[in-house]
Every structure is written in C-alpha cells, then in structure tokens.
Amino acid sequence: MSTPTLIEIQDLKVHYPRPGAGWFSKADPVRAVDGVSFVVPRGKTVGLVGESGSGKTTTGRAIVKLAPVTAGKIIWEGVDIGQMDNRTFLPWRKKVQMVFQDPYGSLNPRADILGILSEPLEIHFPKLNRSDREARCAELLKKVGLKPEQMRRHPHEFSGGQRQRIGIARALAVQPELIVCDEPVSALDVSVQASVVNLLQDLQDELGVAYLFIAHDLAVVEHISHHVLVMEKGVVVEQGTPDQILGSPQHPYTRTLLDAVPKF
Amino acid sequence: MAEQPLLRVRNLGVSFRSGGVESMASSGVTYDLSPGEILAVVGESGSGKSVSALALTRLLPPEPACMITGSVQLQGRELVGLSETELTKVRGKQIAYIFQEPGTSMNPVYTVGFQIAEAVKAHRPEISNVQSTVEESLDAVGIREPARAAASYPHELSGGMLQRAMIAMALACDPKVLVADEPTTALDVTIQKQIMELLARLRKERGMSILLITHNFGIVANMADNVFVMNQGRVVEQGSVKAVMGSPQHPYTRGLIGCIPRLGQRRRRLSTLEDALRESETQSG
C-alpha cells in the first residue's frame, strides 16, 4: 500500500484469567485476542468483522488502551504504546479516540452537550479558555450536522442518530488521527445508519482521519472500508481489500459469514 | 381470496393518553393473515409496527391510558373489547409472541424448563406429563440436549439458544399465530440464519402463520409472502413481497430500500431516506 502507515499492530494478544480461576491457578487463560497483526494506513478505513466473541471489540479497545495488552506491539510513529503506562500514554490518547456502539450508554446523561464536548478539550488542550471551548464546540456540532444552538441540551433530548453524531463530535474534539468505531451504526435504524455512514466518510475526506471500523454487518463494512480483516476466535483468519474478501473469500469462516447474510 | 383468513385486522388503531394529551401510535392498519402465511411488517423505530402487533391481544396498558380502535378477528371472533380474563386465554394459546431480546424476555431466577412448563400448565391443563411436553418442544426447535437445556438458567445459554427456547415456549401451547418481533436483531448473522430457517420449517410443518416484524429487507425477501410498510403509525404500502420490493410505489418504501448497503454493490455514497423523499417531491411538484 502506498499510503504511509499510521499505526501498526504486531502479534497483539489480550488474555484474561478464566473466570473463577484462583490467583495461583495454572488454568488456561481466555485468549480474547491471540496474535493479531495489521496496519492502519493514514486517512484510510480498516474494517474489522466477526461474530460476537471473535475478539474484534477487544482488539479495538486494546488500541485505545481500554483493554490490557498481554503481549505484542502497537507501534505508533516508531513508538510501542502497547505496554505504556497511562500517564506516558496521555499525549497519544489525543491521537486515537473511540466511538462506542450504544449512543444511549456512552454519553453522560447529567452533562449538557457543551460539557460532554469540553471534557476532552480541558484534558488535552488546557490552554483553551471557556469561550474558546464554546467556539470549538459550536464548530464541532456544525461539522457533524447538528446546530450550535443545541449545545445546552442534554443527551435525552436527542434521537439515537443525533446522539451518535454527538459521540463522533466528542471523538473529533481533540483532532485525532485515528478513531476506533466500535459498531457505531448497529444500534441505529437503517435510514439513520446511512446518514451516519455518509457523515463518517465526509469527515474522512475533509479531515484525513483514519478509522478502525468494527462491525458485524458485512455490507456496511464492505461499503466503508479500504481494507477488511475477518476475525474468528481471537485471530485474523483473512484480510485484504473488500473486493478480495467479499468477492472471492478464501477462508471457510468468511464464506459461512457471507452465506448467512440474507440477500435480495 | 376464497380461503377465510385466520386473522382479519381492520382499521386497527392505537393511541396513548397521558396528562390529557392523546398521541396516536398507529392507525388504519388493515390486513389479512392466512393459515401458513408469513406476513412481514417493516418500518423504522417509532413507526408503530410493534405497537400494532401488541395491540392484537392488548399487551398494552389498560384503558384509558391506551385506547385500541378498529377490529381484530381471529377465526371470526372479535378480540378488540374482550375482557382481560378472555384475552389471557388468547395470549400464548392462540397468538404467541417472541421478542427481540431473548435474554430479557426470560425470568433470570427460574430455569428455562420451569418457565416453559408454566406456559403449558396455564394454557393446556389437559396435559398430564408437562415435563415431556417441555422437552418435546425444546427438541422441536433443534436444541440437542433438551433435558439439559430445560434444567439451565437463562444466563447459562447463548443468545441463539435462548431465542430457540423462547420459540419453544411459544410452540408449547401450539398457537395458530406467532408474532415474531425483531427475533434476530440481537443475534449474529450465522445464528440469525439458523433461527430464520427454524421459523420457515415450523411454518411448513405446523402450518403456523407468522407475523414477522423486522427492519431487515433481506429477511423479508427471503422469508415472507406478503409485507406491509409502516411510517409514522400508518401503513404506506402493502402487497406481495415481489411487488413491494420489486417495484416499490411509495417514496418512503423506495427510500428505506435504497439506503441499505448491499454486498457486492459498492457505491461511493449511500442514499438516505431524505434523498428519496426530496426526489419524489421535486418530481411531483
């Protein structure tokens, strides 16, 4: 691929102790992610598909350090962030943000939109004063197709699709280079889904942000991705361009997934 | 149609009243469901598709908080206006429901078998060996070890297994109509396929009629005989799946079908519902 690499994942492993196992137990751990390697090019979208339990969400969470990395490297501009402690990681956290699946559970119900969008700014851009933050918030809302006048409202006053737009605005607030989108449209109606997918693509064209797009809907992943990974039981079973993966799948698991999609 | 419909719904309307304000959830819903037919209902959230299915047996708040108008006839018998006691005999026994979240439809503190047995005892008191009926119905939905599944608590089963168990519970009373409200939305595609195949098999073997609520046009195309599309509480289009999906007449239907990304048909941009509605306005205006 000619596009420069933004982030490289090498042999990433996330293991958890088996539930119920004692401290000194030698029981085999749960291998949620077991040796995953891939590259996210700058400004491109990498789609990650698989069923529940395949380890796709854990992979995404490990990259933003919301899941503990057992082994392997996450290389960002030559630096391995995988084993970094949270304090050292702070400047990197600004570069990689996350959009969550549940637009109802991922926004603080007691904060207004200004508060929700200001929090990352206060942490990562402490020099901004209140009116700067307000201006930035207005700009972000416009960018995601909402109105700046709405910044004093609370999450419950918005629909699911609008809330997901707020989640995207929050991720964009700190000008990240990569956004991990964990099933960003699967909780939305198909009609709303289309407009959020279009928004993500428009933002990529405008800002050059890269996405790790995690989803179980193969058609949405095919539509949005430049590169697709298929995960099963913690490992990547197949990867390639959307045409390769969905046009001529090589791995039996990929074929099973494709066959299961109702076509019309 | 020469055949008498099993379920004859005319002008069904549901409205909720709260604080003196009445809000219409659905109105003017009219359809026939024949024996062995799969009728799909599609629409966005808030379109009234679930509420009009729940209204069939009034699984809704009592009057005056919720008013149901129109007529629902099950084999010629009017259900609208029946007393709660009478409706209890219809619910589960003649019209059974399965819902989107199999996990939350079950009571977490009782075993799956106990909950299925409860339904059997309530609706089929003539059955003496309840346990074997429970296991038979679990077996009928393709659960390999029915006795073990019956002894399990809901949290011990996977989502796909639970949805099978929910279907088994619905089947245990041998209903004439099964209302499946987004039965696979919370499941993986491979499990979704299995559940859909199961429903298709049950319809074939038992001649059960299914009212299938979904937002997935792929499922509609593969499963249903007829379909109606709801928007803002009203039916905007209805007919055979072939006609509605082959040449949708209403701009809302066209928009809803058009905004779905399909495998192997990459486009630079997804069209949205707004695009379709705007287009139709410029054409007509």
Side-chain angles (χ1 to χ4, degrees), chain A residues 50-52 189-195 197-198 201-202 205 216 218-220 222-226 242-243 246 256-264, chain B residues 43-45 187-193 215-219 221-222 245 256-257 259-274:
Chain A
E51 293 185 280
S52 42
D189 268 325
V190 282
S191 52
V192 182
Q193 180 176 315
S195 61
V197 166
N198 285 341
Q201 287 183 311
D202 291 345
D205 292 345
H216 65 269
L218 291 160
V220 172
E222 181 192 36
H223 174 79
I224 201 170
S225 307
H226 300 97
D243 288 345
L246 302 148
T256 313
L257 272 186
L258 281 170
D259 286 344
V261 178
K263 290 165 195 74
F264 62 99
Chain B
E44 294 174 275
S45 41
L187 306 175
D188 276 325
V189 277
T190 51
I191 310 298
Q192 165 172 294
K193 191 181 175 199
H215 62 258
N216 187 330
F217 273 105
I219 288 179
N222 285 298
M245 293 194 59
L256 210 53
I257 295 174
C259 66
I260 306 165
R262 298 193 207 179
L263 280 174
Q265 300 180 16
R266 287 193 96 185
R267 289 168 287 176
R268 179 65 195 103
R269 253 190 109 71
L270 294 175
S271 52
T272 61
L273 204 52
E274 292 78 47

Side-chain angles (χ1 to χ4, degrees), chain B residues 124-157:
Chain B
R124 300 169 80 181
E126 75 281 3
I127 289 179
S128 53
N129 195 342
V130 175
Q131 188 59 27
S132 71
T133 311
V134 169
E135 285 174 24
E136 269 163 36
S137 61
L138 283 168
D139 186 56
V141 296
I143 289 181
R144 271 193 215 103
E145 294 176 82
R148 215 176 105 190
S152 306
Y153 286 91
H155 74 270
E156 297 175 302
L157 301 179

Side-chain angles (χ1 to χ4, degrees), chain B residues 12-125:
Chain B
L12 183 66
V14 182
S15 59
F16 292 95
R17 196 172 293 171
S18 147
V21 187
E22 195 169 321
S23 53
M24 187 268 294
S26 76
S27 78
V29 177
T30 292
Y31 60 86
D32 287 333
L33 184 65
S34 310
E37 177 186 346
I38 298 184
L39 174 62
V41 191
V42 287
E44 294 174 275
S45 41
S47 62
K49 57 190 195 303
S50 289
V51 109
S52 44
L54 293 172
L56 296 175
T57 61
R58 200 178 231 295
L59 282 171
L60 290 165
E63 288 184 13
C66 170
M67 306 295 287
I68 296 174
T69 53
S71 151
V72 175
Q73 286 181 1
L74 181 69
Q75 294 178 309
R77 181 180 179 219
E78 182 60 52
L79 301 184
V80 173
L82 282 187
S83 70
E84 196 67 9
T85 333
E86 292 290 318
L87 278 173
T88 309
K89 292 176 193 155
V90 178
R91 293 175 189 149
K93 175 89 178 114
Q94 288 171 309
I95 302 182
Y97 291 81
I98 55 173
F99 298 101
Q100 175 171 354
E101 287 273 343
T104 51
S105 306
M106 291 258 185
N107 186 333
V109 303
Y110 294 109
T111 62
V112 169
F114 178 88
Q115 297 181 59
I116 300 175
E118 221 176 4
V120 177
K121 285 178 205 157
H123 292 296
R124 300 169 80 181

Side-chain angles (χ1 to χ4, degrees), chain A residues 8-251:
Chain A
E8 185 174 357
I9 317 302
Q10 288 180 354
D11 204 24
L12 178 73
K13 289 182 183 166
V14 181
H15 294 176
Y16 294 105
R18 211 160 270 287
W23 287 1
F24 305 108
S25 143
K26 295 232 166 57
D28 211 24
V30 177
R31 299 168 191 274
V33 178
D34 205 24
V36 165
S37 304
F38 63 93
V39 164
V40 182
R42 198 168 277 280
K44 298 284 181 192
T45 301
V46 173
L48 188 50
V49 291
E51 293 185 280
S52 42
S54 63
K56 56 187 197 301
T57 293
T58 308
T59 303
R61 294 181 80 95
I63 292 169
V64 290
K65 288 183 79 71
L66 288 174
V69 175
T70 309
K73 288 181 176 165
I74 300 170
I75 300 169
W76 194 291
E77 291 161 2
V79 183
D80 178 16
I81 59 168
Q83 303 296 338
M84 240 176 220
D85 62 72
N86 278 337
R87 188 158 286 279
T88 336
F89 181 65
L90 191 64
W92 268 274
R93 202 176 283 283
K94 174 160 76 175
K95 292 171 188 266
V96 49
Q97 290 287 308
M98 187 143 181
V99 173
F100 298 92
Q101 172 170 10
D102 179 6
Y104 296 87
S106 54
L107 300 175
N108 180 354
R110 298 182 58 176
D112 61 9
I113 304 313
L114 177 62
I116 288 168
L117 299 183
S118 293
E119 201 176 339
L121 293 173
E122 283 163 25
I123 293 165
H124 293 289
F125 298 91
K127 290 197 182 114
L128 294 182
N129 63 30
R130 202 178 160 75
S131 63
D132 291 340
R133 287 199 298 266
E134 230 165 89
R136 179 92 182 105
C137 176
E139 190 190 322
L140 285 164
L141 286 176
K142 262 189 266 175
K143 209 160 250 171
V144 297
L146 296 171
K147 295 192 191 84
E149 305 88 89
Q150 294 174 318
M151 70 168 82
R152 288 291 175 189
R153 296 206 188 156
H154 288 73
H156 73 266
E157 295 173 77
F158 294 91
S159 68
Q162 288 174 321
R163 284 185 218 208
Q164 206 53 305
R165 287 170 188 266
I166 296 166
I168 294 167
R170 175 175 60 185
L172 289 174
V174 295
Q175 296 164 321
E177 293 169 53
L178 173 67
I179 298 180
V180 175
C181 303
D182 187 9
E183 301 266 14
V185 296
S186 54
L188 306 175
D189 268 325
V190 282
S191 52
V192 182
Q193 180 176 315
S195 61
V196 171
V197 166
N198 285 341
L199 170 68
L200 286 171
Q201 287 183 311
D202 291 345
L203 291 168
Q204 184 167 64
D205 292 345
E206 189 188 334
L207 309 167
V209 60
Y211 298 123
L212 179 64
F213 192 93
I214 302 167
H216 65 269
D217 186 332
L218 291 160
V220 172
V221 168
E222 181 192 36
H223 174 79
I224 201 170
S225 307
H226 300 97
H227 192 79
V228 176
L229 309 167
V230 183
M231 275 188 84
E232 186 198 13
K233 294 178 189 156
V235 296
V236 173
V237 295
E238 190 165 1
Q239 57 175 305
T241 64
D243 288 345
Q244 284 166 353
I245 299 291
L246 302 148
S248 55
Q250 299 302 312
H251 195 276

